[in-house]
Amino acid sequence: MIKLNCDLGESFGTWKKGMDAEIMPHIDLANIACGFHASDPLTMIETVQLAIKNQVTIGAHPGYPDIIGFGRRHIPMTDEELVATILYQLGALQTICCSQNTSVTYVKPHGALYNDMMQKPHIFEVICQAIALSKVTSTIMVQALPDMQTHLGIAEKYGLTVWQEAFADRHYQDNGLLASRSQPNAVISDENEVCSRIQAYINSGHIMSESGKVLPLQVDSFCVHGDNIAALNLVKSIRVVIANESKRA
Amino acid sequence: MIKLNCDLGESFGTWKKGMDAEIMPHIDLANIACGFHASDPLTMIETVQLAIKNQVTIGAHPGYPDIIGFGRRHIPMTDEELVATILYQLGALQTICCSQNTSVTYVKPHGALYNDMMQKPHIFEVICQAIALSKVTSTIMVQALPDMQTHLGIAEKYGLTVWQEAFADRHYQDNGLLASRSQPNAVISDENEVCSRIQAYINSGHIMSESGKVLPLQVDSFCVHGDNIAALNLVKSIRVVIANESKRA
Amino acid sequence: MIKLNCDLGESFGTWKKGMDAEIMPHIDLANIACGFHASDPLTMIETVQLAIKNQVTIGAHPGYPDIIGFGRRHIPMTDEELVATILYQLGALQTICCSQNTSVTYVKPHGALYNDMMQKPHIFEVICQAIALSKVTSTIMVQALPDMQTHLGIAEKYGLTVWQEAFADRHYQDNGLLASRSQPNAVISDENEVCSRIQAYINSGHIMSESGKVLPLQVDSFCVHGDNIAALNLVKSIRVVIANESKRA
Amino acid sequence: MIKLNCDLGESFGTWKKGMDAEIMPHIDLANIACGFHASDPLTMIETVQLAIKNQVTIGAHPGYPDIIGFGRRHIPMTDEELVATILYQLGALQTICCSQNTSVTYVKPHGALYNDMMQKPHIFEVICQAIALSKVTSTIMVQALPDMQTHLGIAEKYGLTVWQEAFADRHYQDNGLLASRSQPNAVISDENEVCSRIQAYINSGHIMSESGKVLPLQVDSFCVHGDNIAALNLVKSIRVVIANESKRA
């Protein structure tokens, strides 16, 4: 069954972000921020406790060290620095999980680090190396692309399993990358359309690009959002689509 | 044999502190900063590598979140926050150690957190709880006092082993606490006197207070410093005292 | 006419806090955070622009350097450090104001710094000294107390004017200090009661303590909040009370 | 007379950097860090006091918000953010200067911001706009290039005066830019050679590129360093060269 993943635990000190308590019952995988682009130790432990309570699998969501930019900015660093930065974040979340008798199951990089990983094989390799060195987990979540050979090859080199995710609420370019958010229609806000796209993927194994090109993808999980009421309602609707399919299967 | 421990890995970004490479060959236990009062991920990994190269045992040296104050200021926090803050730091260092095929052997709190732990049993208990929850290690280093009953009782409650350290270059009060640094003669700078104090402890199991009171202490380790050439030379001299004793034993 | 003041500009990077755009049209004085307990340079310039657009007088709202604790924690510092910390914040906001052809009219310390200032005359004196040295403004806002002699004397020594504020939604102790928030009924949430208290003050120049003691206060401004819809509605109601009074006067 | 400028006030909390007290008597212009890539409020006020004591002119040395990277990394930001970031830093230093009865005389951007300004006219324009808006000063220091037309044109548009600096201890490319530090011979460490280059510039108004091309530059100031004893001695020697020339003139 296709799983739903969501970025969570993105509050920071007294600043709250997201409707974590509301969205958690409706997702399968929680990508939990590790304190470098969002979150803090107390928020992390509370988010882990919330995931456990809702039987949601925990993933580490490391980012560039960039609180003010929320990890959406590329921060230049050497390979050694990036490895150390990822090890630090994975370790912090892993021990917080361990204190609650659970553990980190996978890693999904955040924001600019995610974008860099998808577009620059060298950065993907540095991230894979860090995960392998950490011994925290051996699964990395990436964006599903029609051609995953480069990424799969690198992950294999480091003994990592790859989970692939897609975005049901985003238009795709013909090359399988997302249409830029700067485009007027990059994000699909109509609930029915988003659900139809997921249904279509379930039926066919394809996602349609904006121009109508068929994109064969291997989707293990759809990424959903929990920022507001509309997002929450959308997730509930998507959950129905997937549950129906699951019953049929 | 009595071990020498030293606070290390206290550089921060491009700011260097301490003579880590020079002091490391002469100590047994390295208290490595974890990024909250000093250090950063890259400095941590480099310090761990240096410890491994010199066969030095690694301890986590967590502190209050206070870079500007170098962890020497008490930062008010709830018990939950303090537990989370310690778990975070222990986990970060443990995974960095793990990436280098080693691990954290003990925990020694830093600065104001260390002082708070020695003077406030409740804070000591919260720290013990965090260490026990972390499953990273089960040893905590504290200051040796003539009466350790309170601390030993709390540590036992959480299943922790206690290592006790003393300060050979500091004058003691009659109650076993250190004379305040604000006193003119709080720090003993004469190399011979420091070495004599260590020799006297080895011979007798006692340290003499400033007023001449005999303080029976259980010292597992002496704390030394690596900030400058004089400190480095002092450590080399102390090492000779301890090595001679060891040969005799 | 009694003025309404509100803490504003408390967002941080992508984390939003408060309904600044909604509350600004209804207040007279905006206490703008300066980047040490909340805010960032971009948020500050946007908040200043919003104040100008609504013809609201700008006050600097400096705090302890404590983003994670939102300035609600006492951070130990020397007098020299505190002076420098306040100068830095006042200057940053003043130049941002200057870039928009306005300026800082007064200073109201935030959170733990405000509490320290009210309870510890020495800290109040250090703050007054910093304001006088800054040459940014010569007005400080403090809490109105039945006995203001100590504070007024210190302010006068540094050539500062004192504005006094009261809290219409908080119960008072007999000594004129606020009932602790830890008490169940410390905050008055009933809109009518809050408005009645302001009306009563306008009529009598007194605020009644919880036990019924009459507290004569010199109130230049009431502090209001803009965190949520209820707070916003309360401010609109208070505004009506004050406007009616103003017409009568 | 050609002036010597030096980056100063680059300590951070308890981490010390540079020999500020030793170098200050030998320079004319102090580029003082403003807390975003280095320094803190207390360090800033102490550095300003040191400059005053040595009758050194004060310049603001703003940088990208990047403590860990010491401002040597390009941090992506919008124009509005960059303007706000510079205003904030200029204001903070200006008010600290004002508290000591002095003021900021010029602005010299630091590190990656300096490099960006020299290579990207748009970033130079945003910096000029921020300085003009700040009303703190109207002088900016940039690198002297054989062709300054673009930079001078932009500065004039914002009513700014331009001071040009050169680097006597760095090899130049034929286009007037510095040879990259990654080249083995980018930095000239021989004291005599550095002094000869300054003497040659005084005699001819030219600096020679590495390949022997004559670069006509308008140099108002040479940039010197104060990090270590060798740098300090070099500055003293340069001072002699300039003083002799001054006597002749």
Side-chain angles (χ1 to χ4, degrees):
Chain A
M1 190 162 85
I2 289 174
K3 290 178 172 172
L4 300 185
N5 80 81
C6 185
D7 298 352
L8 288 164
E10 294 182 336
S11 293
F12 180 68
T14 62
W15 288 274
K16 299 304 164 197
K17 186 171 274 187
M19 304 175 68
D20 288 13
E22 290 79 6
I23 199 79
M24 198 69 95
H26 306 289
I27 62 170
D28 305 290
L29 308 170
N31 316 317
I32 298 182
C34 301
F36 272 49
H37 70 275
S39 200
D40 56 80
L42 186 60
T43 297
M44 285 167 70
I45 205 165
E46 290 173 349
T47 308
V48 165
Q49 288 168 341
L50 194 62
I52 292 171
K53 191 178 146 197
N54 288 278
Q55 297 178 283
V56 170
T57 298
I58 291 169
H61 197 43
Y64 282 123
D66 176 27
I67 287 288
I68 279 289
F70 193 57
R72 289 178 178 151
R73 306 187 292 196
H74 170 76
I75 305 295
M77 38 176 73
T78 63
D79 295 352
E80 289 73 21
E81 246 183 307
L82 183 51
V83 165
T85 296
I86 293 171
L87 286 170
Y88 189 99
Q89 294 181 67
L90 298 189
L93 182 60
Q94 176 74 330
T95 291
I96 282 175
C97 282
C98 193
S99 77
Q100 307 297 311
N101 300 312
T102 186
S103 61
V104 170
T105 298
Y106 65 97
V107 178
K108 174 182 164 181
H110 168 85
L113 187 59
Y114 185 92
N115 293 341
D116 285 347
M117 159 184 95
M118 293 313 299
Q119 289 162 25
K120 301 174 192 168
H122 179 68
I123 290 194
F124 182 68
E125 177 150 7
V126 172
I127 294 171
C128 286
Q129 189 190 3
I131 296 172
L133 281 170
S134 78
K135 304 174 188 81
V136 164
T137 174
S138 57
T139 302
I140 183 167
M141 186 185 286
V142 304
Q143 188 185 342
L145 296 177
D147 178 0
M148 289 302 295
Q149 284 321 109
T150 304
H151 286 83
L152 292 177
I154 292 169
E156 191 179 29
K157 180 174 160 189
Y158 291 92
L160 301 189
T161 300
V162 174
W163 287 356
Q164 299 182 44
E165 67 166 342
F167 298 82
D169 61 348
R170 295 288 298 275
H171 278 300
Y172 277 73
Q173 302 178 49
D174 284 358
N175 61 6
L177 293 174
L178 302 179
S180 166
R181 275 183 183 274
S182 59
Q183 287 195 2
N185 54 356
V187 176
I188 305 171
S189 52
D190 181 69
E191 191 173 311
N192 289 334
E193 190 177 349
V194 174
C195 288
S196 297
R197 286 169 69 84
I198 290 181
Q199 186 63 60
Y201 175 77
I202 291 171
N203 295 344
S204 70
H206 297 157
I207 282 187
M208 196 80 85
S209 83
E210 230 178 328
S211 78
K213 190 179 169 188
V214 163
L215 302 170
L217 300 177
Q218 167 62 42
V219 179
D220 301 299
S221 177
F222 278 100
C223 183
V224 297
H225 304 288
D227 312 272
N228 52 58
I229 297 285
L232 181 62
N233 288 334
L234 178 55
V235 173
K236 291 179 187 171
S237 300
I238 291 172
R239 178 55 75 200
V240 172
V241 174
I242 292 176
N244 285 345
E245 183 55 30
S246 177
K247 275 185 232 149
R248 267 205 297 279
Chain B
M1 189 163 86
I2 289 176
K3 290 177 173 173
L4 300 185
N5 80 81
C6 184
D7 298 352
L8 288 164
E10 294 183 334
S11 292
F12 179 67
T14 61
W15 288 274
K16 300 304 164 198
K17 187 172 276 187
M19 302 176 70
D20 288 14
E22 289 79 6
I23 199 80
M24 197 71 95
H26 305 289
I27 62 171
D28 305 290
L29 309 171
N31 316 316
I32 297 182
C34 300
F36 273 48
H37 69 275
S39 199
D40 57 79
L42 187 59
T43 296
M44 284 166 71
I45 205 166
E46 290 173 349
T47 308
V48 165
Q49 289 168 342
L50 194 62
I52 293 171
K53 193 178 145 196
N54 289 278
Q55 297 176 282
V56 170
T57 298
I58 291 169
H61 197 44
Y64 282 124
D66 177 26
I67 287 288
I68 279 289
F70 194 58
R72 289 178 180 152
R73 305 187 292 196
H74 170 76
I75 304 295
M77 39 175 74
T78 63
D79 295 352
E80 290 72 21
E81 246 183 309
L82 183 51
V83 165
T85 296
I86 293 170
L87 285 170
Y88 190 99
Q89 295 181 66
L90 298 189
L93 182 62
Q94 175 75 328
T95 290
I96 282 174
C97 282
C98 193
S99 77
Q100 307 298 311
N101 300 312
T102 186
S103 62
V104 171
T105 297
Y106 66 97
V107 178
K108 173 181 165 182
H110 168 86
L113 187 58
Y114 184 93
N115 293 341
D116 286 347
M117 159 184 95
M118 293 313 300
Q119 289 163 24
K120 302 174 191 168
H122 179 68
I123 290 194
F124 182 67
E125 177 150 9
V126 172
I127 294 172
C128 287
Q129 189 190 5
I131 296 172
L133 281 170
S134 78
K135 305 173 187 80
V136 164
T137 174
S138 56
T139 300
I140 184 168
M141 186 185 286
V142 305
Q143 189 185 341
L145 296 177
D147 179 358
M148 289 301 296
Q149 283 320 109
T150 304
H151 286 84
L152 291 177
I154 293 170
E156 190 178 31
K157 180 174 162 190
Y158 291 92
L160 301 189
T161 300
V162 174
W163 287 356
Q164 299 182 44
E165 67 167 342
F167 298 81
D169 60 349
R170 295 288 297 276
H171 277 299
Y172 277 73
Q173 302 177 50
D174 284 357
N175 61 6
L177 293 175
L178 301 180
S180 167
R181 275 182 184 276
S182 58
Q183 288 195 1
N185 54 354
V187 177
I188 305 169
S189 52
D190 181 69
E191 195 175 307
N192 289 334
E193 188 176 350
V194 174
C195 287
S196 296
R197 286 168 70 83
I198 291 182
Q199 185 63 59
Y201 174 77
I202 291 171
N203 296 343
S204 68
H206 297 157
I207 283 187
M208 195 81 84
S209 81
E210 230 179 327
S211 77
K213 189 180 171 190
V214 163
L215 302 170
L217 300 178
Q218 167 62 43
V219 179
D220 301 299
S221 177
F222 279 99
C223 184
V224 296
H225 304 288
D227 313 270
N228 52 57
I229 297 285
L232 181 62
N233 288 334
L234 178 55
V235 174
K236 290 180 189 171
S237 301
I238 292 173
R239 178 55 75 200
V240 172
V241 174
I242 293 176
N244 287 343
E245 183 56 28
S246 177
K247 271 185 236 150
R248 267 204 295 279
Chain C
M1 191 163 84
I2 289 174
K3 292 179 172 172
L4 300 186
N5 80 80
C6 185
D7 298 352
L8 288 164
E10 294 182 335
S11 293
F12 180 68
T14 62
W15 288 273
K16 299 304 163 196
K17 185 171 275 188
M19 303 176 69
D20 288 13
E22 289 79 6
I23 199 79
M24 199 70 95
H26 305 289
I27 63 170
D28 305 291
L29 308 171
N31 317 316
I32 298 183
C34 301
F36 272 49
H37 69 276
S39 198
D40 57 80
L42 187 59
T43 297
M44 285 168 69
I45 205 165
E46 289 173 351
T47 307
V48 165
Q49 289 168 341
L50 194 62
I52 292 171
K53 193 178 145 197
N54 289 278
Q55 297 176 282
V56 170
T57 298
I58 291 169
H61 198 43
Y64 282 123
D66 176 26
I67 287 288
I68 278 289
F70 193 58
R72 289 178 179 151
R73 305 187 291 198
H74 170 75
I75 304 295
M77 39 176 73
T78 63
D79 295 350
E80 290 73 21
E81 247 184 307
L82 184 50
V83 165
T85 296
I86 292 171
L87 286 170
Y88 190 99
Q89 295 181 66
L90 298 189
L93 183 60
Q94 175 75 328
T95 290
I96 282 174
C97 282
C98 192
S99 78
Q100 307 298 310
N101 300 311
T102 186
S103 61
V104 170
T105 297
Y106 65 96
V107 178
K108 173 181 164 181
H110 168 85
L113 186 59
Y114 184 92
N115 293 341
D116 287 347
M117 159 185 94
M118 293 313 300
Q119 290 162 25
K120 302 173 193 168
H122 179 68
I123 290 194
F124 182 67
E125 177 150 7
V126 172
I127 294 173
C128 287
Q129 188 189 5
I131 297 172
L133 282 170
S134 78
K135 304 174 188 80
V136 164
T137 174
S138 56
T139 301
I140 183 167
M141 187 186 285
V142 305
Q143 189 186 341
L145 296 177
D147 178 359
M148 289 302 295
Q149 284 320 109
T150 304
H151 287 84
L152 292 177
I154 292 169
E156 190 178 31
K157 180 173 160 189
Y158 291 92
L160 301 190
T161 299
V162 174
W163 287 356
Q164 299 183 43
E165 67 165 343
F167 298 82
D169 61 347
R170 295 288 297 276
H171 278 300
Y172 277 73
Q173 302 178 50
D174 284 358
N175 60 6
L177 293 175
L178 302 179
S180 167
R181 276 181 183 275
S182 59
Q183 288 196 1
N185 53 355
V187 177
I188 305 170
S189 53
D190 182 68
E191 193 173 309
N192 290 334
E193 190 178 347
V194 174
C195 288
S196 297
R197 287 168 69 82
I198 290 181
Q199 185 65 60
Y201 174 77
I202 291 172
N203 296 344
S204 69
H206 298 157
I207 283 186
M208 195 80 85
S209 82
E210 231 179 327
S211 77
K213 189 179 169 192
V214 164
L215 302 170
L217 300 178
Q218 168 62 42
V219 179
D220 302 298
S221 177
F222 279 100
C223 183
V224 296
H225 303 288
D227 312 272
N228 52 58
I229 297 284
L232 181 62
N233 288 334
L234 178 55
V235 173
K236 290 179 189 171
S237 301
I238 293 173
R239 179 53 78 197
V240 172
V241 174
I242 292 177
N244 285 344
E245 184 54 30
S246 176
K247 273 185 234 147
R248 267 204 294 280
Chain D
M1 189 163 86
I2 290 175
K3 291 177 173 172
L4 299 187
N5 80 81
C6 184
D7 298 353
L8 289 164
E10 295 182 333
S11 293
F12 179 68
T14 61
W15 288 274
K16 299 304 164 196
K17 186 172 276 187
M19 303 175 69
D20 289 14
E22 289 79 6
I23 199 80
M24 198 71 95
H26 305 289
I27 62 170
D28 305 290
L29 309 171
N31 316 315
I32 298 182
C34 301
F36 272 50
H37 69 274
S39 199
D40 57 80
L42 187 59
T43 297
M44 285 167 70
I45 205 165
E46 290 173 349
T47 309
V48 165
Q49 288 167 342
L50 194 62
I52 292 171
K53 192 178 145 197
N54 289 277
Q55 296 176 283
V56 170
T57 298
I58 291 169
H61 197 43
Y64 282 123
D66 176 26
I67 287 288
I68 279 289
F70 194 57
R72 290 178 178 150
R73 306 187 293 195
H74 170 76
I75 304 295
M77 38 175 75
T78 64
D79 295 351
E80 289 73 21
E81 246 183 309
L82 184 51
V83 165
T85 296
I86 292 170
L87 286 170
Y88 190 99
Q89 295 181 66
L90 298 189
L93 182 61
Q94 176 74 329
T95 290
I96 283 175
C97 282
C98 192
S99 78
Q100 306 299 310
N101 300 311
T102 185
S103 61
V104 170
T105 297
Y106 66 97
V107 178
K108 174 182 164 180
H110 168 84
L113 187 59
Y114 185 92
N115 293 340
D116 286 348
M117 160 184 94
M118 293 314 300
Q119 289 163 25
K120 301 174 191 167
H122 179 68
I123 291 194
F124 182 67
E125 177 150 8
V126 172
I127 294 172
C128 286
Q129 189 190 4
I131 296 172
L133 281 170
S134 78
K135 304 175 189 80
V136 164
T137 174
S138 56
T139 300
I140 184 168
M141 187 186 285
V142 304
Q143 189 186 342
L145 296 177
D147 178 0
M148 290 301 296
Q149 283 321 109
T150 304
H151 287 84
L152 292 177
I154 292 169
E156 189 178 31
K157 181 174 160 190
Y158 291 92
L160 301 189
T161 299
V162 174
W163 287 356
Q164 299 182 45
E165 67 165 344
F167 298 82
D169 61 348
R170 295 288 297 276
H171 278 299
Y172 277 73
Q173 302 177 49
D174 284 357
N175 61 6
L177 294 175
L178 302 179
S180 167
R181 275 182 183 275
S182 58
Q183 287 195 1
N185 53 355
V187 177
I188 305 170
S189 51
D190 182 68
E191 194 174 308
N192 290 334
E193 190 177 347
V194 174
C195 288
S196 297
R197 286 168 70 83
I198 290 181
Q199 184 63 60
Y201 174 77
I202 291 171
N203 296 343
S204 69
H206 297 158
I207 283 186
M208 196 79 86
S209 83
E210 229 179 328
S211 77
K213 190 180 167 189
V214 163
L215 302 171
L217 300 178
Q218 167 62 43
V219 178
D220 301 299
S221 178
F222 279 99
C223 184
V224 297
H225 304 288
D227 313 90
N228 52 57
I229 297 285
L232 181 62
N233 289 334
L234 177 55
V235 173
K236 291 180 188 170
S237 300
I238 292 173
R239 179 52 77 198
V240 172
V241 173
I242 292 176
N244 286 344
E245 184 55 30
S246 178
K247 275 185 234 151
R248 268 205 294 279

mmCIF file of all heavy atoms in Angstrom, chain A residues 16 32 108 148 152:
data_model
loop_
_atom_site.group_PDB
_atom_site.id
_atom_site.type_symbol
_atom_site.label_atom_id
_atom_site.label_comp_id
_atom_site.label_asym_id
_atom_site.label_seq_id
_atom_site.Cartn_x
_atom_site.Cartn_y
_atom_site.Cartn_z
ATOM 1 N N LYS A 16 5.167 28.290 16.669
ATOM 2 C CA LYS A 16 4.539 27.053 16.246
ATOM 3 C C LYS A 16 4.397 27.037 14.729
ATOM 4 O O LYS A 16 4.158 28.064 14.104
ATOM 5 C CB LYS A 16 3.155 26.923 16.889
ATOM 6 C CG LYS A 16 3.228 26.887 18.420
ATOM 7 C CD LYS A 16 4.144 25.764 18.923
ATOM 8 C CE LYS A 16 4.555 25.918 20.378
ATOM 9 N NZ LYS A 16 5.725 25.073 20.725
ATOM 10 N N ILE A 32 10.804 14.089 10.564
ATOM 11 C CA ILE A 32 10.946 14.949 11.748
ATOM 12 C C ILE A 32 12.211 15.807 11.669
ATOM 13 O O ILE A 32 13.326 15.279 11.563
ATOM 14 C CB ILE A 32 10.936 14.089 13.033
ATOM 15 C CG1 ILE A 32 9.586 13.363 13.152
ATOM 16 C CG2 ILE A 32 11.203 14.954 14.264
ATOM 17 C CD1 ILE A 32 9.413 12.519 14.406
ATOM 18 N N LYS A 108 15.015 11.493 5.136
ATOM 19 C CA LYS A 108 14.608 12.306 3.989
ATOM 20 C C LYS A 108 15.172 13.708 4.167
ATOM 21 O O LYS A 108 14.731 14.431 5.060
ATOM 22 C CB LYS A 108 13.070 12.363 3.887
ATOM 23 C CG LYS A 108 12.582 13.315 2.786
ATOM 24 C CD LYS A 108 11.061 13.408 2.718
ATOM 25 C CE LYS A 108 10.623 14.613 1.908
ATOM 26 N NZ LYS A 108 9.132 14.742 1.832
ATOM 27 N N MET A 148 15.885 6.729 -12.485
ATOM 28 C CA MET A 148 16.504 6.759 -11.146
ATOM 29 C C MET A 148 17.887 6.119 -11.142
ATOM 30 O O MET A 148 18.455 5.916 -10.057
ATOM 31 C CB MET A 148 15.622 5.999 -10.147
ATOM 32 C CG MET A 148 14.326 6.668 -9.771
ATOM 33 S SD MET A 148 14.548 8.326 -9.059
ATOM 34 C CE MET A 148 15.413 7.962 -7.523
ATOM 35 N N LEU A 152 19.995 5.398 -7.787
ATOM 36 C CA LEU A 152 19.977 4.025 -7.275
ATOM 37 C C LEU A 152 21.386 3.441 -7.227
ATOM 38 O O LEU A 152 21.746 2.709 -6.299
ATOM 39 C CB LEU A 152 19.053 3.157 -8.129
ATOM 40 C CG LEU A 152 17.560 3.498 -8.038
ATOM 41 C CD1 LEU A 152 16.745 2.614 -9.001
ATOM 42 C CD2 LEU A 152 17.044 3.331 -6.604
#
